[in-house]
Amino acid sequence: ARALYDNSSETSDELTFKRNDVLEVIERDYEGMEGWWLCELKGRTGIAPANRLVVV
């Protein structure tokens, strides 16, 4: 997925990313958390808000 906006993590399990970064989506609606995806970026795995991403 490509990041539409910058994201600063608010918790230790959330990914920080910049607009146009490409994240690998591992699981959508991770552990029942609607709107949060489990992703990997630069060797780090964490959750990301789906509304800041677009599937490519």
Side-chain angles (χ1 to χ4, degrees), residues 20-47:
N20 290 323
D21 279 351
V22 176
L23 294 78
E24 179 181 350
V25 178
I26 299 168
E27 183 180 340
R28 294 183 188 191
D29 296 336
Y30 179 65
E31 292 187 351
M33 295 187 306
E34 188 174 334
W36 289 89
W37 294 355
L38 181 64
C39 298
E40 183 177 341
L41 175 66
K42 299 176 185 172
R44 184 160 184 262
T45 301
I47 58 172

